[in-house]
Amino acid sequence: MTSRVRIQEADFDIAAELAALQGERTDVGAIASFVGCVRGHTREDDISALALEHYPGMTERAIEAMIVEAEARFAVQGALVIHRIGRLLPGERIVLVAVTSSHRHDAFQACEFLMDYLKTQAPFWKKETTGQGERWVDARVADDEALARWGLASANAAGSPVTAADAEGDAP
């Protein structure tokens, strides 16, 4: 069995990865996937490169735990997360999240859940290169709020945890 989590510098072949995830299974009724790419600009600046760092071993374990959580919440038959590290240029692929299930709803939900979880909980550090120099990318409140939709709190960007009630607008 191939690994469900891969951290790598090399690009990935989306079609080959999805085919391998499905394999010969005939009970798979849905494959949902998300591919993230490096943006060439933000509200503040044009980006010429993005460098990603991680802690080997720790990162893979954290993402594997996210997949286990997705399996507990949704009828997942298979899952794959590939995340690139190193120096990436605008337009290059950075992440692939793919999920198989019997039905599309679970596949879509699990894929979105994993992506929201990755954005806030995966131990990656990102540094943007702009015309003004380099800067570390800070966590965003919007990412904490996305995770809170699933009933999981995160305080990466905020001074206090963002809860599901905060994300729904029920908190003061």
Side-chain angles (χ1 to χ4, degrees), residues 9-138:
E9 288 188 25
D11 196 5
F12 45 85
D13 180 330
I14 299 165
E17 298 296 347
L18 296 181
L21 182 60
Q22 181 178 7
E24 300 296 319
R25 294 186 69 159
T26 59
D27 59 336
V28 169
I31 302 172
S33 65
F34 172 84
V35 177
C37 301
V38 177
R39 286 186 299 270
H41 61 279
T42 66
R43 290 182 191 156
E44 298 85 27
D45 259 322
D46 288 337
I47 307 298
S48 59
L50 180 67
L52 286 104
E53 299 176 9
H54 80 300
Y55 282 125
M58 181 175 122
T59 304
E60 291 86 347
R61 284 189 301 276
I63 296 172
E64 179 63 32
M66 294 172 199
I67 292 173
V68 169
E69 179 68 20
E71 290 171 331
R73 291 170 176 254
F74 310 101
V76 172
Q77 294 171 320
L80 172 67
V81 175
I82 301 174
H83 206 297
R84 295 181 64 197
I85 56 169
R87 183 176 166 85
L88 301 172
L89 301 176
E92 289 189 289
R93 292 185 285 256
I94 189 170
V95 64
L96 169 66
V97 175
V99 177
T100 60
S101 183
S102 293
H103 302 283
R104 71 179 183 272
H105 183 74
D106 283 307
F108 280 135
Q109 292 284 91
C111 190
E112 187 172 17
F113 171 82
L114 283 170
M115 203 50 233
D116 288 343
Y117 213 153
L118 274 169
K119 288 288 288 182
T120 58
Q121 303 302 310
F124 288 103
W125 293 268
K126 300 175 184 178
K127 186 187 292 184
E128 296 173 334
T129 301
T130 71
Q132 286 69 47
E134 294 182 335
R135 66 171 175 243
W136 290 103
V137 177
D138 291 326

Side-chain angles (χ1 to χ4, degrees), residues 160-172:
S160 60
V162 174
T163 65
D166 296 332
E168 295 169 2
D170 296 337

